């Protein structure tokens, strides 16, 4: 559980890296650079390609977990304040719990639903602002991003990979990155002609740590834990991002934000502890 939690914690550093090191206004380029080189490197290291039905499964999972998710996240980020997008994204544990009940036969308990609702409330207090504006397309994109990611997580659990973890992680990253290439080119144009040392350092961090390491930990967690437990760990991302903004960038941290962070953390703990208290929980999911 703690090892898997490193993945959303790492993703929580993306905001700091993006604002301080990357060229402005190129989020899709960042998504491509993060996913595609990492995926190709993992495939080269493991020297394993998909076989049979895993060609289309890897493409679908890569589209859901990487490509479509990042594209929808980009639309939401441009049309909504970050707090609104993060709050809608916090619905993902509830979506995963519902899908896991339907596709995997997991029990959907009242504890899970209450923890999910508390997580949304906590994240909204943590990142949502009173003057936040709503945009229909942006809201739809943010919700769509949560849906495709939730679907990808549940399908990743349902389909047992036939290859080592690093190989299947590489397949998804490469597939998602390839799908993002034409989108990034059409929306943002060609990459910048020159990049600074800071830009290169930022892209390197996103590729190695933010993608290759973080996604390997994330998909490992999906293999050995319940997908609902894994997605509740995603509440760590806004917590880490807000904390880093306060510590490194001097951003204001209000009492309401601190309360929201505590509520989100309590929801995460409550969601995980339910497994140890439920004797009907599958032994594998509690591992």
């Amino acid at each position: 559980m703690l090892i898997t939690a490193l993945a959303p914690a790492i993703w929580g550093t993306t905001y700091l890296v993006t604002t301080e090191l990357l060229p402005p206004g190129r989020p899709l380029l960042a998504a491509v650079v993060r996913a595609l080189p990492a995926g190709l490197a993992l495939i080269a290291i493991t020297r394993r390609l998909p076989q049979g039905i895993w060609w289309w499964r890897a493409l679908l999972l890569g589209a859901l977990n990487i490509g479509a998710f990042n594209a929808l996240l980009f639309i939401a980020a441009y049309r909504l304040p970050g707090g609104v997008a993060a709050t809608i994204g916090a619905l993902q544990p509830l979506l995963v719990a519902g899908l896991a009940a339907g596709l995997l036969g997991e029990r959907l308990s009242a504890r899970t639903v209450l923890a999910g609702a508390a997580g949304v409330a906590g994240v909204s207090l943590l990142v949502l602002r009173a003057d936040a504006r709503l945009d229909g397309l942006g809201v739809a994109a943010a919700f769509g991003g949560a849906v495709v990611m939730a679907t990808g997580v549940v399908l990743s659990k349902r389909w047992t990979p036939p290859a080592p973890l690093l190989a299947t992680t590489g397949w998804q990253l490469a597939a998602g990155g390839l799908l993002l290439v034409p989108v990034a080119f059409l929306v943002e144009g060609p990459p910048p002609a020159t990049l600074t040392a800071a830009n290169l350092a930022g892209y390197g961090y996103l590729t190695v740590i933010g993608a290759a390491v973080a996604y390997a930990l994330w998909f490992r967690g999906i293999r050995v834990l319940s997908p609902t437990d894994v997605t509740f760990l995603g509440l760590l991302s806004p917590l880490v991002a807000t904390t880093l903004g306060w510590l490194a960038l001097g951003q204001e941290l209000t009492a309401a934000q601190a309360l929201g962070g505590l509520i989100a953390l309590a929801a995460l703990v409550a969601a995980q502890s339910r497994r140890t208290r439920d004797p009907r929980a599958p032994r594998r999911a509690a591992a």
Side-chain angles (χ1 to χ4, degrees):
M1 187 73 69
L2 292 175
I3 292 174
T4 306
L6 290 174
I10 288 171
W11 293 331
T13 67
T14 301
Y15 173 77
L16 180 65
V17 172
T18 300
T19 56
E20 299 303 302
L21 298 178
L22 300 188
R26 307 304 293 265
L28 281 178
L29 175 62
V32 171
V33 172
R34 178 170 65 172
L36 186 55
L40 294 177
L42 290 178
I43 291 173
I45 291 171
T46 59
R47 291 187 285 185
R48 291 287 295 270
L49 290 175
Q51 300 291 326
I53 62 172
W54 272 95
W55 279 104
W56 70 263
R57 284 185 176 182
L59 181 62
L60 178 60
L61 291 175
L64 292 171
N65 289 320
I66 313 296
F69 173 72
N70 278 284
L72 290 168
L73 191 66
F74 158 77
I75 296 172
Y78 264 69
R79 302 186 70 93
L80 294 173
V84 176
T87 301
I88 296 173
L91 291 169
Q92 190 179 124
L94 288 172
L95 296 172
V96 168
L99 288 170
L103 296 177
L104 305 177
E106 288 194 1
R107 177 174 175 265
L108 180 60
S109 66
R111 187 186 188 92
T112 298
V113 175
L114 290 174
V120 175
V123 171
S124 67
L125 282 173
L126 184 67
V127 298
L128 197 59
R129 298 293 179 266
D131 59 349
R133 58 179 176 79
L134 295 180
D135 173 87
L137 180 58
V139 170
F143 184 72
V147 170
V148 298
M149 185 65 165
T151 305
V153 167
V154 174
L155 288 179
S156 296
K157 182 69 173 182
R158 183 179 175 88
W159 293 334
T160 303
L165 172 67
L166 291 183
T168 56
T169 300
W171 299 348
Q172 293 193 48
L173 286 170
L178 286 171
L179 290 173
L180 280 171
V181 168
V183 180
F185 188 84
L186 289 173
V187 174
E188 297 178 354
T194 59
L195 294 172
T196 67
N199 297 155
L200 294 174
Y203 284 132
Y205 175 85
L206 291 181
T207 299
V208 178
I209 306 299
V213 173
Y215 274 106
L217 295 175
W218 183 252
F219 292 135
R220 176 189 177 276
I222 293 174
R223 285 190 179 193
V224 300
L225 300 170
S226 159
T228 304
D229 290 343
V230 172
T231 51
F232 266 102
L233 294 174
L235 296 174
L236 289 171
S237 287
L239 285 169
V240 170
T242 301
T243 303
L244 287 177
W246 175 52
L247 293 175
L249 303 179
Q251 295 176 347
E252 180 184 8
L253 183 64
T254 66
Q257 286 180 289
L259 176 62
L262 289 175
I263 292 173
L265 193 59
L268 190 159
V269 173
Q272 310 303 336
S273 63
R274 89 191 196 284
R275 285 281 170 183
T276 60
R277 296 187 180 188
D278 187 354
R280 288 170 293 180
R283 182 175 302 274
R284 182 183 177 190

